[in-house]
Amino acid sequence: MKYLHTMVRIKDVDQSLDFYCNKLGMEEVRRSESEKGRFTLIFLAAPDDKARAETERAPLLELTYNWDPEEYDGGRNFGHLAFATDNIYDTCQKLMDGGVTINRPPRDGHMAFVRSPDGISIELLQKGDALPPAEPWASMQNTGSW
């Protein structure tokens, strides 16, 4: 498994970039916008991690700006930790066998979500291309929130 990123939701892009980049010294390595989803993702890296972050897409801080105003209470501004795994199906099966609920199954062969015992959302991503859809994952429903 490989650590990828931590996601936090932000209310003001300029204010956040001023803090993380100008004051903390992080550097923007990529940005994407989704008209359909109405959000902007900004990925930052610490200076010593920038070259690795650009080639490996890790380790990163993901700033998520939702275009529609929203209040983030109860820690909702913290999003998730993300890890790449060699085989998302095997990883999810191992977690399930250990009593972990798969909150968002890897129906697409690419992405799943689980929660830590403290309720921290963990995103699992398939390394490389998505695996072909497979059961029981393809028909498994979401459970709880993620």
Side-chain angles (χ1 to χ4, degrees):
M1 193 173 288
K2 174 182 164 186
Y3 173 77
L4 297 177
H5 66 261
T6 298
M7 184 271 266
V8 294
R9 290 180 177 86
I10 59 173
K11 292 182 181 181
D12 183 299
V13 171
D14 293 332
Q15 187 179 45
S16 294
L17 289 177
D18 179 58
F19 172 77
Y20 287 106
C21 296
N22 297 336
K23 294 179 173 121
L24 201 55
M26 298 187 83
E27 299 177 30
E28 184 173 332
V29 294
R30 76 177 188 277
R31 181 185 296 222
S32 65
E33 294 192 348
S34 171
E35 289 278 338
K36 184 178 179 183
R38 300 191 46 74
F39 62 84
T40 301
L41 304 179
I42 304 166
F43 291 88
L44 307 178
D48 290 352
D49 294 324
K50 187 175 181 187
R52 185 173 155 220
E54 288 174 339
T55 59
E56 298 180 35
R57 294 186 159 225
L60 294 166
L61 173 62
E62 173 188 331
L63 302 180
T64 298
Y65 173 69
N66 293 314
W67 299 354
D68 299 318
E70 183 178 343
E71 285 300 314
Y72 303 122
D73 57 359
R76 191 159 141 59
N77 60 319
F78 174 79
H80 59 263
L81 300 175
F83 295 89
T85 184
D86 290 329
N87 185 305
I88 196 159
Y89 297 142
D90 290 348
T91 299
C92 287
Q93 187 63 57
K94 180 179 177 185
L95 289 166
M96 252 179 38
D97 291 347
V100 175
T101 299
I102 308 299
N103 300 103
R104 193 278 191 193
R107 290 182 294 273
D108 56 5
H110 175 70
M111 177 181 65
F113 276 88
V114 298
R115 285 194 173 264
S116 76
D118 297 305
I120 302 297
S121 189
I122 310 291
E123 180 181 23
L124 302 170
L125 295 167
Q126 173 63 41
K127 286 182 186 174
D129 294 334
L131 299 178
E135 293 299 339
W137 315 108
S139 59
M140 191 179 287
Q141 298 297 310
N142 292 345
T143 302
S145 63
W146 37 283

